[in-house]
Amino acid sequence: MTGQENNFPPLPKFLRVRPCFYQNIQEEIPSQHQQLVRRIFTLWMIYSATLCLNVIGCIAWWAAGSYASNFGYSLLWLILFAPCSYVCWFRPIYKAIRADSSFNFMAFFFIFFLQVVLAFIQCLGLNNWGICGWIATIMFFKTNLAAAIIMLPTTLLLTLVTILMLLVLIKVHRLYRGIGGSMAHAREEWGAGTWKDAAVKAGDVGVIDPNAQGSSLPQYPASVPSYTDNRGW
């Protein structure tokens, strides 16, 4: 974003690597939807923490007699899916609500649906998948109680995350349908190129700073989308 210094992920200043994204829910998200965005962000953090805990569970799984590949895959899940889930489904819904973007809503629905399916498969705990799920945990309750107890928190958290993801998907879908959103709107944004420039999009729904350059955002509250679904969780 022009004029804004990236602040996420928060990295120590002594590192040469700098944050990749600018994120400010308080300033960029309409006030009536800040709680929803914060909850989705919290869900991402819980999922990432679960993947961290899964590495520990897979070490216990390996020590109890399973394959070393489960530990290797658990590291792959953590390194790959923790950052990719932020980029691939949290950022789209953040940008969708920030700028009333049908294209980003559709991107979120498609990717997040696949995430829910993946989380459900992870809950199962299939062997050689590198995830401590129900099948693996129950099996070790019969053969190695200590390993099963270490694996159980990951299994419970994965189950919780899957349920919460499904609830978020339903909630966001109701939110989007409340503004009359559709696939046709997403195709129009794609064809016009407004999906990648919030300033162009805001020309129809809000006020833009005439001195702004680059990808500026619509000024709230003038451009707050008229979402009609105000029901709670």
Side-chain angles (χ1 to χ4, degrees):
M1 289 181 55
T2 303
Q4 299 287 0
E5 182 178 354
N6 292 340
N7 59 4
F8 191 88
L11 299 173
K13 293 185 177 181
F14 64 82
L15 293 179
R16 297 180 65 87
V17 180
R18 291 292 177 262
C20 302
F21 306 97
Y22 179 78
Q23 176 177 307
N24 191 324
I25 297 176
Q26 185 68 29
E27 293 184 2
E28 292 193 314
I29 303 299
S31 58
Q32 66 268 39
H33 306 299
Q34 289 177 6
Q35 185 182 52
L36 175 61
V37 175
R38 287 194 179 99
R39 285 177 173 176
I40 298 175
F41 180 65
T42 302
L43 177 59
W44 170 77
M45 290 193 294
I46 294 174
Y47 181 61
S48 299
T50 302
L51 294 178
C52 292
L53 189 61
N54 178 65
V55 175
I56 300 175
C58 283
I59 293 175
W61 194 0
W62 181 16
S66 184
Y67 300 105
S69 59
N70 284 315
F71 171 67
Y73 281 127
S74 69
L75 290 176
L76 180 63
W77 286 118
L78 175 61
I79 295 172
L80 183 62
F81 278 86
C84 285
S85 57
Y86 178 86
V87 174
C88 294
W89 54 260
F90 176 74
R91 289 300 297 182
I93 191 59
Y94 183 91
K95 292 186 289 185
I97 295 179
R98 182 188 69 183
D100 189 18
S101 169
S102 291
F103 178 85
N104 281 294
F105 269 113
M106 288 299 171
F108 169 79
F109 290 138
F110 176 74
I111 298 172
F112 199 67
F113 174 77
L114 296 179
Q115 173 70 84
V116 173
V117 174
L118 176 63
F120 175 76
I121 296 174
Q122 289 175 331
C123 281
L124 298 180
L126 303 176
N127 198 18
N128 286 325
W129 264 65
I131 293 290
C132 302
W134 286 107
I135 295 176
T137 303
I138 293 174
M139 180 183 66
F140 273 97
F141 264 113
K142 299 178 181 179
T143 59
N144 193 314
L145 183 59
I149 291 175
I150 296 175
M151 295 163 63
L152 184 60
T154 300
T155 303
L156 294 175
L157 279 175
L158 276 173
T159 304
L160 176 63
V161 165
T162 303
I163 295 173
L164 292 177
M165 285 180 174
L166 183 59
L167 293 176
V168 164
L169 186 62
I170 295 172
K171 175 64 178 178
V172 175
H173 182 263
R174 288 176 177 174
L175 188 73
Y176 183 60
R177 298 300 293 179
I179 62 171
S182 65
M183 181 67 74
H185 291 164
R187 287 197 297 265
E188 290 174 3
E189 286 188 13
W190 175 265
T194 56
W195 64 275
K196 58 184 177 181
D197 193 341
V200 176
K201 171 71 176 176
D204 297 329
V205 296
V207 180
I208 305 176
D209 183 357
N211 298 319
Q213 299 178 356
S215 180
S216 300
L217 291 173
Q219 300 299 310
Y220 296 114
S223 61
V224 173
S226 57
Y227 299 123
T228 58
D229 184 1
N230 293 321
R231 289 172 291 182
W233 278 102

